[in-house]
Structure formats: C-alpha cells, structure tokens
Amino acid sequence: MEELRLGDQRIRYDRESTAAAYRLLSSGCTDKCRCDGCRNFVLQREAAYPPAFRAILDQMGIDPKKEDDVHEIGVVVDGMCPYGGWLLLVGEIIEAGESVAAVAKDFQCFFRPARRPACFGDRVLAIEFITKIRWLLAEDPTA
C-alpha cells in the first residue's frame, strides 16, 4: 500500500487492487444513466476532470470513465452547472482531515469511506469531487 496526502487528508491505497476492480466493471453510472444531467456530464467528461485530478486518479489506479456516482448539485447559472460525484478505490483513511482540497479552479475533492461494490473488497474509499461544467444539452436543465 502506498500513501497519499491531499489537502489535510492522508490515505493508504492499493493501486493494483483498485485497477483490478475497475477491470471488472463494465462501465460507470454516467454511461448507464440516460438522464439529462448524466448525458451532459458524459459529453464533457474529459474537460470536467482537470489534469491534476486525472494524475491523482491515475496514481491510484482509478478509471476516470467509471464513476460510481455523478449528479447535479445546483442550478445552472450563466451556462455553468455545479456537479458532485465520486470514484472508488481500495484504501483506508489515515488522517481524516476537515476540509476539501482545491485541485484546480472550480474543482475540489476529498476522501471518505465507502461500502460498495464488492469487487473493491472490505477497504473501500470514495474520492468525491465538486466542480462546475458548462450545460451543453439543448434540453432546459430547469424543466
């Protein structure tokens, strides 16, 4: 297990076990869901995750295209929609910390314990993120 500090949190993670678990998953929640919010996220997933966050995911063995959850967390303002979500990894929290880490402009993340799915074993963490992305769909997000 390797250690990672992100903001005031410190975790241990198992990159190989995490990557192996992702190989067992056919897709993430956003690819399975057909709601407008998920469709909008999938259209710009590449841009939604800044390079610094992608590097963290890669370091931990996380497949950035297989989110466990993504959802809108507010209303669209000036064409931008706030989103939250998380991806899973095999690991444990060593220092819980008290705040989120700013990884890039309008992008924050933090770790928390998680419970599923079984392919990740007994020591499952979620790396949660909060961001804003442009609303690209023709459908009105307030409808």
Side-chain angles (χ1 to χ4, degrees), residues 56-71:
I56 292 167
L57 298 181
D58 183 60
Q59 178 181 341
M60 294 186 295
I62 296 173
D63 185 335
K65 294 182 178 178
K66 295 181 180 176
E67 301 90 357
D68 190 51
D69 186 64
V70 172
H71 51 276

Side-chain angles (χ1 to χ4, degrees), residues 5 7 32 55 67 75 90-91 96 116-117 121 124:
R5 178 170 290 282
K32 294 175 186 171
E67 301 90 357
V75 297
V90 177
R116 58 172 209 255
V124 185

